[in-house]
Amino acid sequence: MPAGIMRNRFRGKDYLAFKDMNREEIEFIVDLSLDFKKKWAAREPHEYLKGQVWAALFEKNSTRTRNAFQRAAADLGITTVYLRPDELQSGRGEPLKDTARMFDRYYDGLFIRTFGHEIVEEYAKWMDHPVINGLTTLAHPTQGIADLMTIKEKKGGYK
């Protein structure tokens, strides 16, 4: 998929929970992810987002999600900046709105793994760039996409 088409398809989109997406959007992401998986296995370059810089904020510890995100971002040509909450002013009382606006100025997107779902919703409210939920107490849409990929690969569909 040409980079311009991918950028336009996802421009201004947040991925916070399946409940916010329609079936067509979910199936598009699954199919695109399967295509990226094939490219990765074949060692075929697919740096469609080369030059972008994304913040990766992990308020909850992670092994698989963090490594999968950072590897996928690298494969797409994205530079990631790993952020720890204890290094941010938000831990010392800075309003989330101010942190989100600052992220929006410096980064092309935010990947966040946090506690309450209202936190990712608040970041999405104040950022124009995409916010991707890497896990909250309500949803784990990136894991859901991986599950749907496995079902499609193993069963050929979802019925």
Side-chain angles (χ1 to χ4, degrees), residues 117-137:
H117 193 75
E118 69 281 357
I119 295 169
V120 295
E121 290 174 335
E122 190 75 6
Y123 274 105
K125 175 181 175 182
W126 297 109
M127 292 181 67
D128 292 326
H129 287 101
V131 175
I132 297 176
N133 176 4
L135 174 72
T136 65
T137 51

Side-chain angles (χ1 to χ4, degrees), residues 46-53 72-79:
H46 52 282
E47 294 183 324
Y48 298 127
L49 301 177
K50 190 174 182 92
Q52 287 197 15
V53 180
D75 288 342
L76 288 167
I78 297 170
T79 298

